[in-house]
Amino acid sequence: MKLRDFLSSKAVTLCFLGIGMVLCCGLMAAAGAGWRLVLLLAVGALLLIAAWLAVAFLLARRRIARLERLAEQMEEPYLLGELLPEPQDAVERAYFEVMKTVSRSAIGQVEDTRRAQEAYMDYVEQWIHEIKTPLTACSLILSNGGDPRKLRRELKRADNLTENILYYARLRTAEKDTVIRTVPVAAVINEAVKSQMELLLAAGIRVQVQGDFTVSTDDKALCFILKQLLVNCAQYCPGCTVAILAAEGKITVEDNGIGIPAHELPRVTERGFTGTNGRTRGSSTGMGLYIVRELCQRLNIDLMVESEQGRFTRVCLAFAALTKS
């Protein structure tokens, strides 16, 4: 810190000290004090002010130098707020509390960002291993004559995995990517079923679709949600029947498959949770229903999952912004 900057910070105090000294000298002169006495007192006051400024400047510069050394030594400078020296007066104490609040907020945001980044990298690494499976299968199919149906099925699996990671990457900016339109949900359901037809047929799954209503939502995101539910059916309950009902502002997707253990049901939408079915019936990233949950929250859709092991799994999407039945 330069002396000029320090004096500028004390300008108001020095101004009042100067005014006070002039008034005191004037009163003493008016009271009949000799000019020598007035001059002596003025010089003495100036010397005291100069000494005070010098000591205050040296102490302030030493404190700032200490803070600068701390900042240089720290690998994470945003943690400096936690190591600030104790305040010396009421004003500094107020600034100190503000800095503590700002520092803790910054630390919390940095930690949240770091955890999110680590989770994203873990998912990307897991996704790379997942995408190898359909790609390898495509190579084997082509090497053995190239059955078109099997090839389309594996390409659809790769397409689903790619769409998953794209939606996961967009979760942070979902508001910017969301386009709200008024759509009939039956058209969105039919599109989702049609897009997953290869996987559903290969898994021996029958799909029954009934009902319709009109709603204002992001039809692409809704289609992705429905596709993810159908992919889960194809993966976890081959040979079952899936009934999709659209009525009274709700889309219900129900299968008569293996169901979900009761103790795992509250966790099925957690990030990375695979559960017993995911571990015993092939590879699973545990990200599908997590992405579904996040998209539902952004689209103001209530997501409810019910299941009874060995009997059924029911997923209900309830729309708050219903246009008409």
Side-chain angles (χ1 to χ4, degrees), residues 134-144 151:
L135 294 180
T136 302
C138 287
S139 298
L140 292 173
I141 292 169
L142 291 173
S143 300
N144 294 307
L151 189 60

Side-chain angles (χ1 to χ4, degrees), residues 4 38-39 66 68 73 99 143 147-148 172 175 196 206 223 227 278:
R4 181 180 59 187
V38 174
L39 181 62
R66 179 187 173 193
E68 290 175 346
Q73 294 170 0
M99 286 300 300
S143 300
D147 187 328
R172 298 178 184 177
E175 293 80 2
Q196 302 303 314
R206 294 193 309 119
C223 188
K227 285 192 289 185

Side-chain angles (χ1 to χ4, degrees), residues 223-285:
C223 188
F224 171 81
I225 291 171
L226 293 170
K227 285 192 289 185
Q228 184 59 52
L229 298 179
L230 292 172
V231 169
N232 285 355
C233 292
Q235 182 173 0
Y236 298 119
C237 46
C240 73
T241 298
V242 178
I244 304 177
L245 174 63
E248 300 179 352
K250 296 179 182 179
I251 299 177
T252 304
V253 181
E254 182 174 348
D255 66 65
N256 58 352
I258 59 175
I260 303 170
H263 66 279
E264 295 180 357
L265 194 58
R267 300 186 59 197
V268 293
T269 59
E270 291 181 6
R271 179 167 55 192
F273 181 75
T274 56
T276 303
N277 294 336
R279 290 188 293 270
T280 59
R281 292 179 176 264
S283 58
S284 173
T285 62

Side-chain angles (χ1 to χ4, degrees), residues 4-191:
R4 181 180 59 187
D5 297 331
F6 176 77
L7 293 176
S8 296
S9 68
K10 302 294 183 182
V12 176
T13 303
L14 292 175
C15 183
F16 276 99
L17 287 174
I19 293 172
M21 189 173 64
V22 170
L23 288 176
C24 287
C25 290
L27 289 174
M28 291 180 64
W35 66 270
R36 287 192 178 91
L37 179 59
V38 174
L39 181 62
L40 181 63
L41 290 174
V43 171
L46 288 174
L47 291 174
L48 286 174
I49 292 173
W52 166 68
L53 288 172
V55 172
F57 173 69
L58 293 174
L59 292 175
R61 189 168 66 174
R62 187 171 66 179
R63 293 180 67 197
I64 292 175
R66 179 187 173 193
L67 289 175
E68 290 175 346
R69 286 195 300 271
L70 280 174
E72 291 174 357
Q73 294 170 0
M74 296 185 65
E75 295 182 1
E76 307 290 349
Y78 63 89
L79 295 173
L80 183 61
E82 297 299 308
L83 300 177
L84 290 174
E86 289 296 323
Q88 297 180 349
D89 55 43
V91 175
E92 286 191 0
R93 205 170 295 118
Y95 280 111
F96 180 79
E97 294 301 325
V98 171
M99 286 300 300
K100 280 282 189 182
T101 302
V102 172
S103 175
R104 286 167 185 167
S105 176
I107 292 171
Q109 291 183 9
V110 168
E111 290 302 318
D112 290 343
T113 302
R114 181 176 295 170
R115 281 193 294 268
Q117 185 178 18
E118 290 175 353
Y120 180 75
M121 295 304 296
D122 290 342
Y123 179 42
V124 169
E125 183 178 352
Q126 191 176 11
W127 178 86
I128 291 172
H129 290 292
E130 289 290 321
I131 199 69
K132 287 180 180 179
T133 302
L135 294 180
T136 302
C138 287
S139 298
L140 292 173
I141 292 169
L142 291 173
S143 300
N144 294 307
D147 187 328
R149 289 178 300 177
K150 292 181 179 179
L151 189 60
R152 282 195 297 268
R153 183 170 67 242
E154 297 305 327
L155 288 174
K156 175 50 66 176
R157 287 197 176 101
D159 181 63
N160 288 336
L161 287 170
T162 303
E163 194 173 21
N164 276 18
I165 199 168
L166 285 175
Y167 268 93
Y168 181 71
R170 292 172 182 168
L171 285 179
R172 298 178 184 177
T173 58
E175 293 80 2
K176 297 179 182 179
D177 298 325
T178 301
V179 179
I180 303 298
R181 298 190 300 175
T182 301
V183 293
V185 296
V188 181
I189 294 171
N190 290 331
E191 181 183 352

